[in-house]
Amino acid sequence: MVFGCFLRGFLSSVASQSEGALIQAERGQVTLNQVGLLVNTLLSLLTRSLTKRCFQMIPTFKAECAKQAEVRGVEPPSDWCVGRLLEEVRTATMDVRDIVLKTSASLRYHGVLTAVLANHWLDDSASGDRPARLLCLLGSNFDLVLQSCRSGHRVPEVAMFNSALDQLGIPSQQVGGVPLRATQQLSPDAGMEAVLVENLEVALRKLAHFTGVQAVGAESRPITCCPDQVSHGYVTLRPGVRTHYVEMGSGPPVLLCHGFPESWYSWRYQIPALAAAGFRVLALDMKGYGESTAPPGGHTHKYNPETQCDLSFWSSKSIPQVTLVGHDWGGALVWTMARYFPERIRAVASLNTPLFPPDPSKPASEKLKALPAFDYQIYFQKPGVAEAELENDLERTFNIFFSSGREAVSRTRPAESGGLFVGLPQQIPRSSMLTEADLRYYVGRFRGSGFRGPLNWYRNNQANWKWMCSQPTGKVAVPALMVTAGKDPVLLPAMSDGMEDLVPNLSRGYIEDSGHWTQMDKPAETNNILISWLRETHGPPAPKL
């Protein structure tokens, strides 16, 4: 009880002193630990003289707390530590609610400029990279991040808001709503509206009223990344062979490998989330897709596992080991890499695709004939046939392929109908998984590269089988994750039964209502499973941002 009174009582008084250590630190007049010059508050109060002296924030704040405790007649607890208190404050400020980031993304999408105005001090302590990660996260989700220690003003001072407006390049009269954690009212002359944040959801609804942009809910989809909001890279692996990738974040490298008929863009919900969780994310355009070149001359034999996820790409990026995450064909590839190149793999995860061990007695093409769910792969074998159908109307093709677990499109068997989409209506509605912009992006990528390269992955099945049968066999010993989807009509969860015999260090995830396109169908659930496993696999969890 004494400790509770101690915290509730004088700490707020100390922190709000106009010439106190915290206020001066927030104005940028002193850093957290470094020695600097400032006004000696005590002497100023006693003698009204402006005496300068050397000052450290933490010792001075501790002295201010002791003095306030003496005034109030409160005995600080024996284990009282200002440094620990500031550490707790710092930790608390690392937590940014996901709904706030979603709201900013929605506002920016509708042309509304967004800014974060924060009372921060200059943190020069040995606290790691947490403050930097927080600022990086905010900077990537808002048009402006303005710290009080950089501007010399504090929230809720009108000068702080005017400084932000100047940097955004807009007159103050155009401001619609400003959420504040303060009771002070801004001057009406500033053209601003203040919202007291006592309940975040209520405050965001008020903000939606001010801006005319519909409020987002906690259940809305995670933040996505647009093609022009990520860093694109190109690596020439050898003459005529180039790999395109996008990259975001810093930390342990995680390489995302998509399936058929997709793109790096299929990971658009995972890239920002994994980067914010403390990982360096690289999402590839797989060989023959998008801006990654197919083998010269269309030679399918150059699609063997050694070149499908070229190790020289990792070396060119100075990545000795990587965590692989794959979906569909990408899932098959990452299991192969983990099994045959374990020294380069830190950990491996697959969405939907289980580990199918090679059968030395039966070629892959023979096995397909016994699996009706995979008969489309037989249709894909003859060059030019599937290309003609899939490229005839790209918008229709992707509307048929990309359906969620609730929207599965029933198709006839290609062996019986002579085509993959025969018998389906000409007009297929766009899936709820895709926005119009998403659909345009996929159509644009495949209009440029076509389906020849992606289909050649299927035409290399026989060569893959021969290659794997020629390699030493063993178990996947690295940490692994298998995520199954309850409504995948092709890669059924039951197909992963018994994987623990081949992958002893296997973790599992299951998403009941997801169809085949798991990372797009259920992105929030996918992100939660991946991030939890990645943090567990890579040691102590990264700070929550």
Side-chain angles (χ1 to χ4, degrees):
M1 178 63 69
V2 174
F3 183 62
C5 294
F6 179 76
L7 287 177
R8 288 191 299 270
F10 74 88
L11 281 182
S12 59
S13 300
V14 175
S16 61
Q17 291 178 7
S18 60
E19 297 298 332
L22 282 179
I23 298 296
Q24 295 197 42
E26 289 175 351
R27 293 188 188 280
Q29 295 171 323
V30 62
T31 65
L32 184 61
N33 278 337
Q34 246 179 357
V35 176
L37 294 175
L38 81 157
V39 177
N40 184 324
T41 304
L42 181 59
L43 289 179
S44 176
L45 292 174
L46 294 176
T47 66
R48 299 299 179 185
S49 64
L50 300 181
T51 305
K52 294 184 178 181
R53 56 165 290 190
C54 289
F55 175 86
Q56 284 182 304
M57 175 187 162
I58 292 179
T60 302
F61 182 63
K62 183 177 181 180
E64 291 172 353
C65 289
K67 182 175 180 60
Q68 187 67 22
E70 181 180 354
V71 170
R72 290 174 174 261
V74 178
E75 182 70 23
S78 59
D79 61 346
W80 167 249
C81 175
V82 170
R84 187 169 66 249
L85 170 65
L86 293 177
E87 176 62 24
E88 292 174 358
V89 172
R90 184 177 16 229
T91 300
T93 60
M94 294 295 106
D95 187 3
V96 179
R97 293 276 295 276
D98 187 55
I99 193 173
V100 174
L101 301 180
K102 291 179 180 179
T103 298
S104 177
S106 178
L107 290 170
R108 296 175 77 187
Y109 178 80
H110 289 88
V112 179
L113 293 175
T114 63
V116 172
L117 279 60
N119 289 337
H120 281 177
W121 53 65
L122 294 176
D123 190 345
D124 60 344
S125 64
S127 59
D129 62 354
R130 288 181 300 170
R133 287 189 176 278
L134 173 63
L135 292 173
C136 181
L137 176 69
L138 295 175
S140 64
N141 286 279
F142 292 84
D143 295 294
L144 172 68
V145 177
L146 183 61
Q147 299 170 271
S148 62
C149 58
R150 306 290 180 185
S151 70
H153 306 291
R154 300 176 64 255
V155 177
E157 297 169 4
V158 173
M160 183 74 162
F161 293 97
N162 286 336
S163 177
L165 296 176
D166 288 341
Q167 294 190 45
L168 290 170
I170 57 176
S172 60
Q173 287 73 17
Q174 293 183 14
V175 178
V178 181
L180 292 176
R181 287 187 180 273
T183 57
Q184 293 91 334
Q185 295 296 314
L186 295 173
S187 168
D189 296 336
M192 302 179 185
E193 295 283 352
V195 178
L196 176 62
V197 182
E198 295 177 315
N199 179 285
L200 181 58
E201 285 70 23
V202 173
L204 292 177
R205 285 198 295 271
K206 291 181 179 179
L207 181 62
H209 173 73
F210 289 140
T211 61
V213 177
Q214 184 176 358
V216 300
E219 72 285 352
S220 61
R221 286 176 165 256
I223 295 171
T224 183
C225 60
C226 298
D228 59 354
Q229 294 176 336
V230 290
S231 175
H232 293 256
Y234 303 85
V235 174
T236 299
L237 303 176
R238 61 186 63 86
V241 179
R242 183 184 71 172
T243 292
H244 166 246
Y245 66 97
V246 302
E247 184 172 4
M248 183 183 290
S250 62
V254 177
L255 193 66
L256 306 179
C257 303
H258 66 77
F260 175 90
E262 300 182 77
S263 156
W264 72 266
Y265 190 63
S266 293
W267 301 103
R268 59 192 175 277
Y269 291 106
Q270 286 70 50
I271 294 170
L274 299 185
F279 296 92
R280 178 188 179 188
V281 186
L282 300 101
L284 300 177
D285 265 344
M286 304 305 289
K287 187 181 294 293
Y289 286 84
E291 297 182 75
S292 290
T293 57
H299 298 299
T300 58
H301 70 276
K302 294 186 179 180
Y303 278 79
N304 64 64
E306 288 180 289
T307 60
Q308 285 172 348
C309 189
D310 207 312
L311 293 173
S312 59
F313 171 79
W314 311 359
S315 298
S316 71
K317 302 295 294 179
S318 299
I319 299 175
Q321 276 195 327
V322 69
T323 293
L324 292 175
V325 180
H327 169 254
D328 187 75
W329 256 114
L333 176 61
V334 301
W335 288 126
T336 302
M337 299 299 293
R339 195 171 193 191
Y340 298 108
F341 302 96
E343 71 280 359
R344 301 300 300 273
I345 310 301
R346 174 66 179 82
V348 60
S350 175
L351 307 182
N352 303 63
T353 310
L355 172 58
F356 294 119
D359 183 354
S361 66
K362 186 181 295 184
S365 58
E366 293 298 318
K367 295 173 66 176
L368 289 176
K369 294 179 181 179
L371 298 172
F374 290 87
D375 57 5
Y376 64 91
Q377 297 193 18
I378 300 174
Y379 172 67
F380 285 168
Q381 295 305 307
K382 187 175 181 179
V385 175
E387 286 93 329
E389 181 182 13
L390 299 179
E391 294 172 7
N392 179 58
D393 185 340
L394 288 171
E395 184 171 325
R396 179 172 181 263
T397 292
F398 286 106
N399 282 338
I400 294 173
F401 270 127
F402 291 153
S403 57
S404 71
R406 302 176 304 279
E407 307 165 333
V409 177
S410 177
R411 292 193 292 266
T412 56
R413 296 181 63 180
E416 299 172 350
S417 63
L420 197 63
F421 302 151
V422 171
L424 294 180
Q426 184 60 36
Q427 298 298 322
I428 302 291
R430 171 171 50 84
S431 170
S432 62
M433 294 191 306
L434 302 179
T435 65
E436 185 61 34
D438 295 336
L439 179 60
R440 287 198 304 269
Y441 188 80
Y442 282 106
V443 168
R445 295 299 91 185
F446 278 79
R447 181 170 288 127
S449 61
F451 272 84
R452 179 71 179 276
L455 287 168
N456 278 348
W457 283 66
Y458 293 95
R459 293 164 186 160
N460 202 55
N461 273 335
Q462 189 85 352
N464 283 345
W465 171 74
K466 291 181 179 179
W467 181 88
M468 286 189 284
C469 288
S470 71
Q471 302 297 310
T473 58
K475 296 183 178 182
V476 174
V478 300
L481 171 68
M482 178 69 227
V483 181
T484 53
K487 289 184 169 56
D488 190 329
V490 178
L491 296 170
L492 307 178
M495 292 179 176
S496 70
D497 290 350
M499 275 184 57
E500 284 78 2
D501 294 337
L502 292 171
V503 190
N505 195 10
L506 182 68
S507 300
R508 285 185 176 270
Y510 177 69
I511 306 176
E512 170 62 34
D513 295 327
S514 178
H516 179 70
W517 316 100
T518 307
Q519 71 269 50
M520 295 188 285
D521 193 351
K522 297 293 180 182
E525 294 87 338
T526 301
N527 291 352
N528 290 339
I529 292 172
L530 285 176
I531 291 172
S532 176
W533 174 76
L534 285 168
R535 285 178 169 170
E536 180 181 352
T537 300
H538 288 270
K544 182 181 179 183
L545 297 182

